[in-house]
PDB file of all heavy atoms in Angstrom:
ATOM      1  N   MET I 100     212.121 168.185  43.283  1.00 95.00           N
ATOM      2  CA  MET I 100     213.463 168.423  43.595  1.00 95.00           C
ATOM      3  C   MET I 100     214.400 167.209  43.629  1.00 95.00           C
ATOM      4  O   MET I 100     215.482 167.247  43.112  1.00 95.00           O
ATOM      5  CB  MET I 100     213.550 169.178  44.901  1.00 95.00           C
ATOM      6  CG  MET I 100     213.052 170.633  44.791  1.00 95.00           C
ATOM      7  SD  MET I 100     213.176 171.554  46.310  1.00 95.00           S
ATOM      8  CE  MET I 100     211.921 170.877  47.292  1.00 95.00           C
ATOM      9  N   GLU I 101     213.907 166.132  44.211  1.00 95.00           N
ATOM     10  CA  GLU I 101     214.793 164.975  44.423  1.00 95.00           C
ATOM     11  C   GLU I 101     214.753 164.040  43.194  1.00 95.00           C
ATOM     12  O   GLU I 101     215.664 163.286  43.003  1.00 95.00           O
ATOM     13  CB  GLU I 101     214.377 164.198  45.654  1.00 95.00           C
ATOM     14  CG  GLU I 101     214.578 164.967  46.896  1.00 95.00           C
ATOM     15  CD  GLU I 101     214.077 164.239  48.182  1.00 95.00           C
ATOM     16  OE1 GLU I 101     213.934 162.959  48.132  1.00 95.00           O
ATOM     17  OE2 GLU I 101     213.870 164.904  49.190  1.00 95.00           O
ATOM     18  N   HIS I 102     213.689 164.092  42.426  1.00 96.00           N
ATOM     19  CA  HIS I 102     213.565 163.172  41.255  1.00 96.00           C
ATOM     20  C   HIS I 102     213.451 163.907  39.935  1.00 96.00           C
ATOM     21  O   HIS I 102     213.073 163.363  38.932  1.00 96.00           O
ATOM     22  CB  HIS I 102     212.377 162.204  41.480  1.00 96.00           C
ATOM     23  CG  HIS I 102     212.519 161.372  42.696  1.00 96.00           C
ATOM     24  ND1 HIS I 102     213.144 160.084  42.663  1.00 96.00           N
ATOM     25  CD2 HIS I 102     212.206 161.589  43.992  1.00 96.00           C
ATOM     26  CE1 HIS I 102     213.159 159.594  43.884  1.00 96.00           C
ATOM     27  NE2 HIS I 102     212.571 160.470  44.691  1.00 96.00           N
ATOM     28  N   PHE I 103     213.648 165.239  40.023  1.00 97.00           N
ATOM     29  CA  PHE I 103     213.662 166.109  38.826  1.00 97.00           C
ATOM     30  C   PHE I 103     212.422 165.994  37.961  1.00 97.00           C
ATOM     31  O   PHE I 103     212.489 165.955  36.754  1.00 97.00           O
ATOM     32  CB  PHE I 103     214.938 165.774  37.986  1.00 97.00           C
ATOM     33  CG  PHE I 103     216.215 165.734  38.851  1.00 97.00           C
ATOM     34  CD1 PHE I 103     216.807 164.570  39.165  1.00 97.00           C
ATOM     35  CD2 PHE I 103     216.673 166.957  39.450  1.00 97.00           C
ATOM     36  CE1 PHE I 103     217.894 164.484  40.033  1.00 97.00           C
ATOM     37  CE2 PHE I 103     217.800 166.914  40.273  1.00 97.00           C
ATOM     38  CZ  PHE I 103     218.383 165.685  40.559  1.00 97.00           C
ATOM     39  N   GLU I 104     211.275 165.801  38.590  1.00 97.00           N
ATOM     40  CA  GLU I 104     210.053 165.686  37.817  1.00 97.00           C
ATOM     41  C   GLU I 104     209.473 167.044  37.425  1.00 97.00           C
ATOM     42  O   GLU I 104     209.371 167.946  38.270  1.00 97.00           O
ATOM     43  CB  GLU I 104     208.988 164.940  38.638  1.00 97.00           C
ATOM     44  CG  GLU I 104     209.358 163.493  38.919  1.00 97.00           C
ATOM     45  CD  GLU I 104     208.280 162.721  39.639  1.00 97.00           C
ATOM     46  OE1 GLU I 104     207.267 163.291  40.006  1.00 97.00           O
ATOM     47  OE2 GLU I 104     208.514 161.527  39.847  1.00 97.00           O
ATOM     48  N   LYS I 105     209.053 167.149  36.222  1.00 96.00           N
ATOM     49  CA  LYS I 105     208.436 168.379  35.729  1.00 96.00           C
ATOM     50  C   LYS I 105     207.705 168.088  34.410  1.00 96.00           C
ATOM     51  O   LYS I 105     207.744 166.868  33.909  1.00 96.00           O
ATOM     52  CB  LYS I 105     209.402 169.500  35.551  1.00 96.00           C
ATOM     53  CG  LYS I 105     210.520 169.189  34.601  1.00 96.00           C
ATOM     54  CD  LYS I 105     211.436 170.385  34.457  1.00 96.00           C
ATOM     55  CE  LYS I 105     212.522 170.043  33.419  1.00 96.00           C
ATOM     56  NZ  LYS I 105     213.424 171.061  33.106  1.00 96.00           N
ATOM     57  N   GLY I 106     207.094 169.066  33.828  1.00 94.00           N
ATOM     58  CA  GLY I 106     206.585 169.044  32.444  1.00 94.00           C
ATOM     59  C   GLY I 106     205.900 167.759  32.054  1.00 94.00           C
ATOM     60  O   GLY I 106     204.930 167.316  32.639  1.00 94.00           O
ATOM     61  N   ASP I 107     206.424 167.222  30.961  1.00 96.00           N
ATOM     62  CA  ASP I 107     205.782 166.053  30.348  1.00 96.00           C
ATOM     63  C   ASP I 107     205.626 164.855  31.283  1.00 96.00           C
ATOM     64  O   ASP I 107     204.613 164.144  31.141  1.00 96.00           O
ATOM     65  CB  ASP I 107     206.530 165.580  29.111  1.00 96.00           C
ATOM     66  CG  ASP I 107     206.412 166.633  27.991  1.00 96.00           C
ATOM     67  OD1 ASP I 107     205.557 167.475  28.095  1.00 96.00           O
ATOM     68  OD2 ASP I 107     207.213 166.538  26.997  1.00 96.00           O
ATOM     69  N   VAL I 108     206.624 164.627  32.143  1.00 97.00           N
ATOM     70  CA  VAL I 108     206.489 163.491  33.059  1.00 97.00           C
ATOM     71  C   VAL I 108     205.280 163.680  33.985  1.00 97.00           C
ATOM     72  O   VAL I 108     204.492 162.786  34.223  1.00 97.00           O
ATOM     73  CB  VAL I 108     207.775 163.331  33.914  1.00 97.00           C
ATOM     74  CG1 VAL I 108     207.608 162.376  35.071  1.00 97.00           C
ATOM     75  CG2 VAL I 108     208.927 162.939  33.029  1.00 97.00           C
ATOM     76  N   LEU I 109     205.139 164.891  34.534  1.00 98.00           N
ATOM     77  CA  LEU I 109     203.987 165.153  35.411  1.00 98.00           C
ATOM     78  C   LEU I 109     202.651 165.098  34.720  1.00 98.00           C
ATOM     79  O   LEU I 109     201.667 164.591  35.241  1.00 98.00           O
ATOM     80  CB  LEU I 109     204.193 166.513  36.167  1.00 98.00           C
ATOM     81  CG  LEU I 109     205.377 166.536  37.107  1.00 98.00           C
ATOM     82  CD1 LEU I 109     205.505 167.884  37.766  1.00 98.00           C
ATOM     83  CD2 LEU I 109     205.338 165.429  38.182  1.00 98.00           C
ATOM     84  N   LYS I 110     202.673 165.607  33.479  1.00 98.00           N
ATOM     85  CA  LYS I 110     201.444 165.549  32.686  1.00 98.00           C
ATOM     86  C   LYS I 110     201.022 164.092  32.454  1.00 98.00           C
ATOM     87  O   LYS I 110     199.871 163.699  32.560  1.00 98.00           O
ATOM     88  CB  LYS I 110     201.663 166.229  31.367  1.00 98.00           C
ATOM     89  CG  LYS I 110     200.376 166.516  30.528  1.00 98.00           C
ATOM     90  CD  LYS I 110     200.790 166.921  29.152  1.00 98.00           C
ATOM     91  CE  LYS I 110     199.762 167.721  28.427  1.00 98.00           C
ATOM     92  NZ  LYS I 110     199.599 169.066  28.797  1.00 98.00           N
ATOM     93  N   ALA I 111     202.004 163.251  32.137  1.00 98.00           N
ATOM     94  CA  ALA I 111     201.742 161.861  31.859  1.00 98.00           C
ATOM     95  C   ALA I 111     201.247 161.140  33.141  1.00 98.00           C
ATOM     96  O   ALA I 111     200.324 160.305  33.079  1.00 98.00           O
ATOM     97  CB  ALA I 111     203.008 161.129  31.314  1.00 98.00           C
ATOM     98  N   LYS I 112     201.784 161.466  34.287  1.00 98.00           N
ATOM     99  CA  LYS I 112     201.343 160.898  35.535  1.00 98.00           C
ATOM    100  C   LYS I 112     199.927 161.366  35.846  1.00 98.00           C
ATOM    101  O   LYS I 112     199.048 160.548  36.306  1.00 98.00           O
ATOM    102  CB  LYS I 112     202.286 161.271  36.669  1.00 98.00           C
ATOM    103  CG  LYS I 112     203.653 160.610  36.591  1.00 98.00           C
ATOM    104  CD  LYS I 112     204.513 160.911  37.811  1.00 98.00           C
ATOM    105  CE  LYS I 112     205.787 160.070  37.741  1.00 98.00           C
ATOM    106  NZ  LYS I 112     206.516 160.013  38.983  1.00 98.00           N
ATOM    107  N   PHE I 113     199.684 162.619  35.658  1.00 98.00           N
ATOM    108  CA  PHE I 113     198.368 163.235  35.938  1.00 98.00           C
ATOM    109  C   PHE I 113     197.327 162.512  35.075  1.00 98.00           C
ATOM    110  O   PHE I 113     196.285 162.061  35.550  1.00 98.00           O
ATOM    111  CB  PHE I 113     198.405 164.700  35.607  1.00 98.00           C
ATOM    112  CG  PHE I 113     197.130 165.417  35.941  1.00 98.00           C
ATOM    113  CD1 PHE I 113     196.980 165.933  37.284  1.00 98.00           C
ATOM    114  CD2 PHE I 113     196.197 165.709  35.011  1.00 98.00           C
ATOM    115  CE1 PHE I 113     195.819 166.638  37.592  1.00 98.00           C
ATOM    116  CE2 PHE I 113     195.047 166.404  35.362  1.00 98.00           C
ATOM    117  CZ  PHE I 113     194.871 166.915  36.618  1.00 98.00           C
TER     118      PHE I 113
END
Side-chain angles (χ1 to χ4, degrees):
M100 288 185 287
E101 295 179 19
H102 300 268
F103 313 106
E104 292 185 357
K105 59 178 181 175
D107 289 348
V108 169
L109 295 180
K110 192 192 202 74
K112 289 185 173 196
F113 186 84

